[in-house]
Every structure is written in C-alpha cells, then in structure tokens.
Amino acid sequence: MFTRSRTNTTRRQADRITQPDTAERFPGLRMEGVTKRYANADHDVLHDISLDVPRGKVLVVVGPSGSGKSTLLRAVAGLEPIQGGEILLNGDIIGQGRPGTKAAGYAPRPAALRTRIGMVFQSYDLFPNRNVLDNVTMAPVLVLKRDKRNVEQEALRLLERVGLRDRADAKPHELSGGQRQRVAICRAMIMHPELLLLDEITASLDPEMVREVLDVVLDLADGGQTMMIVTHEMAFARAVADEVVMLENGGIVERSDNPEQFFTHPRTRRAQEFLETFEFARRHRG
Amino acid sequence: MADDVAQSRGARVMNTYLVFIRVMPQLALLFIAFYGFARAWNWNLDATGACVLVFVLWGGAELGDLVRGALVSIPAIQYESAYMLGLTPWQTFTRVILPQALRRLLPGSVNLSTRIVKTTSLAVLLGVVEVIKVGQQIIDAHRFDYPQGTLWVYGVIFLMYFIVCWPLSLAARALERRWAD
Ligand SMILES: Nc1ncnc2c1ncn2[C@@H]1O[C@H](COP(=O)(O)OP(=O)(O)O)[C@@H](O)[C@H]1O
Ligand SMILES: [Mg+2]
C-alpha cells in the first residue's frame, strides 16, 4: 500500500513558511469563482469554482470522466484562458477572467509567472529530440539563464532521486513509460515550481510501472511540494491527499480535508456512487 | 487555431494555389505556362523558362504541403510542455518543434526531390534540349553507324538520373538512422 510520513511533512512546511502571511497573501493556490467555457460551447465546463491549495499541501481532484478535471488543471496552468473568476498563486494574480475573455489559445501569462507552476501530463511530454539530461536542463538554462554546469549537477541529483541517473544520456524513446514520467517530473521540479500539477500521469502506463511513478510523487509530497493531482488510482489518492475535491459537470460535488473519511464514508450520494465504481464484488457465487 | 488560419485571406489564396497546382498533371501545367501565358497575356516564356516556373511552383506547393503535414503532426502537448517551462514561442519553435518536424519531413521531401528530378524529363515535350533530347539527337546522328546505340544511350541517361537520385536516398537513409526515434 501507499504510505506517507506525515510528521516529516509538517516539519518541512514549518521550515518553508517563514514570512508572516496576511489575509490577502494566501500562501498557496487560490481559485475564486473560476468559470471556463470553451470556444463555441453552449455551457460552462467549469462553473464558479472556488478552492484553495494551501502551501505544502496536496489536493487530489477526483471525478468521472468529462467532469472537468483536466480543464481545471489546465486553467491553473494557463493553458486555458478563463472566462470568469481569479486565480492567485502565493498572493499574486496569475489568471483573471471576465465574460468575453477569449476562449481558445493560451492565457496571456508572462514566462516569469508560467515557470512558477510545473505540470506533468498523461504522456508524450518529453522532447523526443533531446536526451534525458537535456530535457531536464533545457528550461533552467534557456529560460532562467542559470549556469549550465550548475543545472546539470542539479539535474543529475534529481535523476538520482528518481532512480534514473544512469539513463541521463538515453533518448526518451529508449525509456519505459514509467521512466519517462519520472523524467518529466524531474523536468518540472528543476524549475522549483511553487505548485506542481499532475494530470493522470499514470493513466497510460502498464500496471507494473504505476508504482515507481507514484512513489516519486509520494516522496515529493513528503518533501512539502504543493500539488494538485488528478488521478484514478484511489489507493494512491487516499495516501497522498491532504484534501480532496470531487468534480462533476464542472462543479464541486464534495470537498474534504479528511481524505480517510472521504474515501471510506463520503458525505454525498454522488461521491458514494462514484467511489463504488472502483469496487468489485461478485453478486453470485457457487 | 486551424480556424484562424483558414480565415486569413493569405491562407485562402495559398490554399487555392495549393489545390490548383496539386490536382493538375505536371504536363498540363507545362503546357499552360508555355502556350497558355503567351496566348492570354502575350507573355512569351521560352521553353526553359516555362519549365523552371512550373517546377518551382509545383515543387513549392508539394514541399509546402509536406512541411504543413510535419508541423501539424507534432502533438499539442509538446507546445504545452514548452509553454509551461516558460519557453518563448520562438524558442519553442526552434528548439522543440522544428527539430521534430524536420525529422518527420525527411522521407517525404527526399521522395519529392527524386520525383521532381524524374518529372523534368517531361521538358522534352516543350522542346527543351535536356538529356533525353540530346540522347535522341545522338541516336539520330548515328542511326546508321551504330544501330545498337539506342540501348546504350538510354542506358547512360538512366545512369545519369540514377546518379542524381541515388545519393539523395542514401543521404536520407543515413540521416534517418542518425535521427532515429
Ligand atoms: N478543447 C476543448 N474544446 C471543447 N470542449 C472541451 C475541450 N476539452 C475538453 N472539453 C470538454 O470539457 C469537458 C471536460 O473535459 P475534461 O476537463 O477533459 O474532463 P476530465 O479531465 O475530467 O475527463 C468534457 O465535456 C469535454 O468534452
Ligand atoms: Mg482528463
């Protein structure tokens, strides 16, 4: 089973939050009334979503397919402009929408804000024309203008941490799916993102590779990395989550800061029904 | 994105050009350029000029379409990953998209170049003195002293085409191996 050393988490968090926080500068991610409608759509994909991911915490987003989980993460990432509401990261407005905001293309967000959020997708993230090390070092060198030697050393340490230091020279196509996702995590983490977004990063993996990727994520959670995770791995969700929200039809059906309770005794009927779809039972025996 | 492109006027013009050039047989294009232009606008292109014009327009259209195909075949996630990492659109294009697109472009563009080289043999029908024409002249001049010459002359022409096209496919294969992914 998946486990997390929570004591560790709280200690690391205490280290990180040093400056006093005023009410306006909420530490972490704050979404206020976020509404998203795709171009040419006749209804909102996300409707008036408000939620917080406090710094150092992990929010797991669950919900049936098509409920808007990916759109939610993409809106936070700036990959989808929003048509209403506000998104704040550690007190800075990173996204704002009004009715009539253009619905297609990326949100107009400067690189300095984009690099504060990391994202790993379901697949095909890595740049196939570059080897593992170059994939990880490209953005810090090109965008943050950091010293290349320095970045390479940090990249190798990160790869070491996910057990892939010896594959630094490999091309992405020479890696297994699980290894590729671990590299993608390193590529995001080397930017020291204030928030890491993971959208079903194990959904296209063979079952035996899921574990190696999720263990890395648990490790990040223990290190106090603020994350928003969409996953269908319920055992993992239960282990990694500090908070859970369930989406359906673009709205929040249930939210809980007690994952244990959410996954065993959800309050709403919809959440019960949803969680039951992950359980198997034989109705007839013998 | 596709919509924006389709709506722009330049894109519509280019699209019409592309469709027109690609549906026409090359021979018809050559005749239009050689006889048609002269008739219609009294614009007298010589045969070689007409050939150059047609092969530039045709090759450009076909290659443009290959480039377009290679670019749209790059998954959106590649652009999105680059955006999230803070790359500028120019960095995204030159460091991420173009290297991948070039790789995908390679087999098709080599195929196209050999097709263009081979199609230039149609120029003989406009009276351009190119290899086949010269070959025929040689055959005609020596019809009586070397009756076996025909086979040899066409054999040499075959070799000349081969010498132009073969290195192209060799280079392509070598590059493909080196860029393999
Ligand atoms: N680019 C798009 N344009 C229009 N509709 C979209 C687009 N992407 C997703 N949708 C729609 O938005 C809804 C939510 O999709 P998504 O966020 O991918 O859900 P989930 O990740 O929970 O499966 C779905 O009904 C989907 O069809
Ligand atoms: Mg999704």
Side-chain angles (χ1 to χ4, degrees):
Chain A
M1 288 318 286
F2 297 101
T3 52
R4 234 186 104 176
S5 47
R6 271 160 209 285
T7 45
N8 191 3
T9 314
T10 37
R11 198 185 63 236
R12 292 284 198 99
Q13 251 167 261
D15 290 346
R16 291 178 61 150
I17 305 171
T18 44
Q19 75 273 49
D21 300 304
T22 61
E24 297 86 56
R25 288 191 74 82
F26 174 78
L29 177 80
R30 168 159 281 179
M31 302 181 80
E32 283 173 0
V34 169
T35 293
K36 165 75 197 174
R37 177 179 295 211
Y38 281 110
N40 308 320
D42 54 1
H43 61 95
D44 296 342
V45 183
L46 296 176
H47 186 71
D48 197 15
I49 301 269
S50 297
L51 56 81
D52 289 344
V53 189
R55 180 146 62 193
K57 298 284 185 186
V58 176
L59 174 75
V60 167
V61 183
V62 298
S65 178
S67 56
K69 306 182 295 295
S70 296
T71 306
L72 183 70
L73 260 55
R74 293 171 59 83
V76 173
L79 293 171
E80 298 291 350
I82 54 176
Q83 280 68 50
E86 233 172 35
I87 306 173
L88 297 97
L89 184 62
N90 291 321
D92 301 322
I93 297 176
I94 57 168
Q96 225 170 3
R98 275 167 230 91
T101 304
K102 75 180 173 71
Y106 302 146
R109 189 181 290 185
L113 284 184
R114 302 204 300 266
T115 53
R116 292 170 61 179
I117 299 182
M119 184 159 183
V120 180
F121 304 84
Q122 189 172 323
S123 53
Y124 306 118
D125 315 31
L126 294 182
F127 303 134
N129 51 316
R130 305 194 160 234
N131 70 19
V132 166
L133 187 64
D134 285 347
N135 261 279
V136 180
T137 58
M138 184 175 176
V141 172
L142 219 53
V143 179
L144 305 180
K145 312 279 183 231
R146 285 178 52 193
D147 172 56
K148 183 154 184 177
R149 296 275 295 281
N150 210 317
V151 171
E152 276 179 2
Q153 270 161 17
E154 185 180 351
L156 289 172
R157 277 200 303 277
L158 276 170
L159 289 170
E160 171 101 62
R161 217 171 122 190
V162 303
L164 288 174
R165 196 191 157 115
D166 55 330
R167 305 311 311 272
D169 295 326
K171 284 290 189 69
H173 70 96
E174 295 165 332
L175 302 181
S176 73
Q179 291 174 327
R180 263 178 263 176
Q181 290 301 65
R182 282 183 280 156
V183 175
I185 292 173
C186 292
R187 189 177 66 176
M189 287 303 293
I190 201 165
M191 303 295 279
H192 305 284
E194 291 162 45
L195 173 70
L196 182 63
L197 307 170
L198 307 178
D199 189 3
E200 299 200 43
I201 60 168
T202 58
S204 60
L205 297 184
D206 290 336
E208 71 270 21
M209 292 171 187
V210 169
R211 179 87 211 197
E212 64 193 41
V213 175
L214 296 186
D215 277 339
V216 168
V217 179
L218 284 162
D219 188 43
L220 294 179
D222 284 336
Q225 175 66 45
T226 315
M227 287 189 277
M228 221 170 144
I229 302 177
V230 173
T231 182
H232 285 300
E233 301 283 338
M234 289 302 151
F236 163 71
R238 199 163 150 179
V240 80
D242 294 301
E243 310 194 6
V244 189
V245 296
M246 177 177 157
L247 283 192
E248 184 160 53
N249 296 326
I252 294 177
V253 175
E254 179 165 344
R255 68 175 89 209
S256 166
D257 54 10
N258 184 346
E260 240 1 86
Q261 192 224 303
F262 174 84
F263 286 105
T264 49
H265 300 99
R267 291 191 308 272
T268 59
R269 222 184 115 67
R270 277 308 296 136
Q272 272 164 28
E273 285 167 3
F274 172 70
L275 291 172
E276 273 165 17
T277 62
F278 292 90
E279 280 160 24
F280 295 93
R282 278 185 64 175
R283 273 167 294 181
H284 310 290
R285 282 201 181 267
Chain B
M1 219 165 88
D3 283 1
D4 298 349
V5 173
Q7 274 157 14
S8 90
R9 185 156 167 192
R12 266 207 305 267
V13 171
M14 291 309 285
N15 215 21
T16 313
Y17 155 64
L18 198 70
V19 169
F20 179 77
I21 295 279
R22 297 189 70 203
V23 297
M24 291 290 260
Q26 281 80 55
L27 188 57
L29 288 173
L30 285 172
F31 282 147
I32 289 174
F34 189 47
Y35 300 112
F37 286 171
R39 215 28 89 70
W41 300 299
N42 206 16
W43 183 28
N44 250 324
L45 269 178
D46 67 348
T48 312
C51 287
V52 169
L53 180 71
V54 164
F55 282 106
V56 165
L57 289 181
W58 171 55
E62 293 281 355
L63 188 63
D65 199 50
L66 287 176
V67 171
R68 187 196 57 79
L71 284 176
V72 300
S73 73
I74 309 292
I77 282 200
Q78 292 284 315
Y79 291 89
E80 293 172 354
S81 299
Y83 172 90
M84 294 303 300
L85 291 167
L87 270 61
T88 63
W90 175 250
Q91 288 169 333
T92 305
F93 186 70
T94 53
R95 312 279 177 138
V96 177
I97 305 304
L98 197 59
Q100 295 181 55
L102 282 179
R103 200 175 299 189
R104 293 178 190 210
L105 190 59
L106 191 67
S109 59
V110 168
N111 184 1
L112 175 65
S113 351
T114 50
R115 253 170 72 217
I116 291 179
V117 170
K118 285 183 288 188
T119 313
T120 55
S121 59
L122 289 179
V124 74
L125 297 173
L126 296 191
V128 176
V129 184
E130 43 74 82
V131 276
I132 295 190
K133 187 76 192 169
V134 172
Q136 284 170 350
Q137 286 167 348
I138 295 174
I139 292 166
D140 283 345
H142 302 280
R143 187 168 297 276
F144 299 108
D145 2 341
Y146 299 103
Q148 301 297 316
T150 313
L151 188 65
W152 288 102
V153 169
Y154 281 119
V156 168
I157 291 172
F158 164 82
L159 255 177
M160 289 163 84
Y161 275 104
F162 185 80
I163 287 168
V164 174
C165 295
W166 178 238
L168 277 176
S169 17
L170 274 189
R173 222 179 297 167
L175 272 178
E176 257 176 277
R177 250 200 309 271
R178 213 170 95 199
W179 289 350
D181 70 63

PDB file of all heavy atoms in Angstrom, chain A residues 38 45 64-71, ligand 1:
ATOM      1  N   TYR A  38     -15.430  26.674 -23.184  1.00  0.00           N
ATOM      2  CA  TYR A  38     -14.630  26.507 -24.399  1.00  0.00           C
ATOM      3  C   TYR A  38     -15.257  27.277 -25.552  1.00  0.00           C
ATOM      4  O   TYR A  38     -16.463  27.541 -25.550  1.00  0.00           O
ATOM      5  CB  TYR A  38     -14.520  25.027 -24.778  1.00  0.00           C
ATOM      6  CG  TYR A  38     -13.496  24.280 -23.961  1.00  0.00           C
ATOM      7  CD1 TYR A  38     -13.874  23.321 -23.021  1.00  0.00           C
ATOM      8  CD2 TYR A  38     -12.140  24.540 -24.111  1.00  0.00           C
ATOM      9  CE1 TYR A  38     -12.933  22.634 -22.265  1.00  0.00           C
ATOM     10  CE2 TYR A  38     -11.187  23.864 -23.354  1.00  0.00           C
ATOM     11  CZ  TYR A  38     -11.587  22.914 -22.444  1.00  0.00           C
ATOM     12  OH  TYR A  38     -10.649  22.259 -21.701  1.00  0.00           O
ATOM     13  N   VAL A  45     -17.730  24.682 -18.850  1.00  0.00           N
ATOM     14  CA  VAL A  45     -17.088  23.412 -18.489  1.00  0.00           C
ATOM     15  C   VAL A  45     -16.714  23.431 -17.012  1.00  0.00           C
ATOM     16  O   VAL A  45     -16.762  22.419 -16.319  1.00  0.00           O
ATOM     17  CB  VAL A  45     -15.811  23.190 -19.324  1.00  0.00           C
ATOM     18  CG1 VAL A  45     -15.205  21.844 -18.999  1.00  0.00           C
ATOM     19  CG2 VAL A  45     -16.114  23.289 -20.790  1.00  0.00           C
ATOM     20  N   PRO A  64     -15.782  11.752 -12.305  1.00  0.00           N
ATOM     21  CA  PRO A  64     -15.947  10.935 -13.507  1.00  0.00           C
ATOM     22  C   PRO A  64     -15.311  11.596 -14.725  1.00  0.00           C
ATOM     23  O   PRO A  64     -15.023  12.789 -14.733  1.00  0.00           O
ATOM     24  CB  PRO A  64     -17.466  10.817 -13.670  1.00  0.00           C
ATOM     25  CG  PRO A  64     -18.052  11.860 -12.793  1.00  0.00           C
ATOM     26  CD  PRO A  64     -17.058  12.186 -11.740  1.00  0.00           C
ATOM     27  N   SER A  65     -15.101  10.791 -15.746  1.00  0.00           N
ATOM     28  CA  SER A  65     -14.522  11.287 -16.988  1.00  0.00           C
ATOM     29  C   SER A  65     -15.408  12.380 -17.578  1.00  0.00           C
ATOM     30  O   SER A  65     -16.625  12.253 -17.590  1.00  0.00           O
ATOM     31  CB  SER A  65     -14.399  10.112 -17.951  1.00  0.00           C
ATOM     32  OG  SER A  65     -13.887  10.553 -19.161  1.00  0.00           O
ATOM     33  N   GLY A  66     -14.793  13.465 -18.008  1.00  0.00           N
ATOM     34  CA  GLY A  66     -15.557  14.555 -18.603  1.00  0.00           C
ATOM     35  C   GLY A  66     -16.084  15.547 -17.587  1.00  0.00           C
ATOM     36  O   GLY A  66     -16.797  16.481 -17.934  1.00  0.00           O
ATOM     37  N   SER A  67     -15.718  15.381 -16.322  1.00  0.00           N
ATOM     38  CA  SER A  67     -16.264  16.274 -15.296  1.00  0.00           C
ATOM     39  C   SER A  67     -15.522  17.612 -15.254  1.00  0.00           C
ATOM     40  O   SER A  67     -15.965  18.539 -14.589  1.00  0.00           O
ATOM     41  CB  SER A  67     -16.207  15.593 -13.925  1.00  0.00           C
ATOM     42  OG  SER A  67     -14.887  15.194 -13.624  1.00  0.00           O
ATOM     43  N   GLY A  68     -14.388  17.699 -15.931  1.00  0.00           N
ATOM     44  CA  GLY A  68     -13.676  18.982 -15.983  1.00  0.00           C
ATOM     45  C   GLY A  68     -12.366  19.009 -15.208  1.00  0.00           C
ATOM     46  O   GLY A  68     -11.778  20.073 -15.013  1.00  0.00           O
ATOM     47  N   LYS A  69     -11.875  17.834 -14.803  1.00  0.00           N
ATOM     48  CA  LYS A  69     -10.641  17.783 -14.001  1.00  0.00           C
ATOM     49  C   LYS A  69      -9.449  18.328 -14.779  1.00  0.00           C
ATOM     50  O   LYS A  69      -8.697  19.163 -14.288  1.00  0.00           O
ATOM     51  CB  LYS A  69     -10.350  16.330 -13.562  1.00  0.00           C
ATOM     52  CG  LYS A  69     -11.496  15.660 -12.833  1.00  0.00           C
ATOM     53  CD  LYS A  69     -11.135  14.256 -12.397  1.00  0.00           C
ATOM     54  CE  LYS A  69     -10.875  13.297 -13.559  1.00  0.00           C
ATOM     55  NZ  LYS A  69     -12.063  13.039 -14.401  1.00  0.00           N
ATOM     56  N   SER A  70      -9.293  17.838 -16.005  1.00  0.00           N
ATOM     57  CA  SER A  70      -8.158  18.320 -16.806  1.00  0.00           C
ATOM     58  C   SER A  70      -8.293  19.801 -17.088  1.00  0.00           C
ATOM     59  O   SER A  70      -7.312  20.553 -17.011  1.00  0.00           O
ATOM     60  CB  SER A  70      -8.082  17.566 -18.137  1.00  0.00           C
ATOM     61  OG  SER A  70      -7.816  16.211 -17.915  1.00  0.00           O
ATOM     62  N   THR A  71      -9.499  20.233 -17.401  1.00  0.00           N
ATOM     63  CA  THR A  71      -9.721  21.650 -17.686  1.00  0.00           C
ATOM     64  C   THR A  71      -9.347  22.493 -16.474  1.00  0.00           C
ATOM     65  O   THR A  71      -8.752  23.568 -16.604  1.00  0.00           O
ATOM     66  CB  THR A  71     -11.191  21.889 -18.070  1.00  0.00           C
ATOM     67  OG1 THR A  71     -11.530  21.006 -19.141  1.00  0.00           O
ATOM     68  CG2 THR A  71     -11.421  23.315 -18.512  1.00  0.00           C
TER      69      THR A  71
HETATM   70  N1  LIG C   1     -10.655  21.782 -26.167  1.00  0.00           N
HETATM   71  C1  LIG C   1     -11.936  21.544 -25.850  1.00  0.00           C
HETATM   72  N2  LIG C   1     -12.941  22.145 -26.529  1.00  0.00           N
HETATM   73  C2  LIG C   1     -14.229  21.918 -26.209  1.00  0.00           C
HETATM   74  N3  LIG C   1     -14.637  21.123 -25.213  1.00  0.00           N
HETATM   75  C3  LIG C   1     -13.691  20.503 -24.488  1.00  0.00           C
HETATM   76  C4  LIG C   1     -12.291  20.669 -24.772  1.00  0.00           C
HETATM   77  N4  LIG C   1     -11.578  19.926 -23.884  1.00  0.00           N
HETATM   78  C5  LIG C   1     -12.498  19.312 -23.099  1.00  0.00           C
HETATM   79  N5  LIG C   1     -13.758  19.655 -23.446  1.00  0.00           N
HETATM   80  C6  LIG C   1     -14.993  19.212 -22.788  1.00  0.00           C
HETATM   81  O1  LIG C   1     -14.975  19.664 -21.462  1.00  0.00           O
HETATM   82  C7  LIG C   1     -15.466  18.683 -20.584  1.00  0.00           C
HETATM   83  C8  LIG C   1     -14.474  18.391 -19.509  1.00  0.00           C
HETATM   84  O2  LIG C   1     -13.326  17.804 -20.075  1.00  0.00           O
HETATM   85  P1  LIG C   1     -12.054  17.436 -19.223  1.00  0.00           P
HETATM   86  O3  LIG C   1     -11.636  18.631 -18.460  1.00  0.00           O
HETATM   87  O4  LIG C   1     -11.065  16.834 -20.152  1.00  0.00           O
HETATM   88  O5  LIG C   1     -12.620  16.338 -18.233  1.00  0.00           O
HETATM   89  P2  LIG C   1     -11.870  15.220 -17.394  1.00  0.00           P
HETATM   90  O6  LIG C   1     -10.411  15.525 -17.368  1.00  0.00           O
HETATM   91  O7  LIG C   1     -12.497  15.288 -16.043  1.00  0.00           O
HETATM   92  O8  LIG C   1     -12.156  13.916 -18.051  1.00  0.00           O
HETATM   93  C9  LIG C   1     -15.822  17.485 -21.435  1.00  0.00           C
HETATM   94  O9  LIG C   1     -17.197  17.500 -21.672  1.00  0.00           O
HETATM   95  C10 LIG C   1     -15.053  17.704 -22.707  1.00  0.00           C
HETATM   96  O10 LIG C   1     -15.745  17.152 -23.791  1.00  0.00           O
END
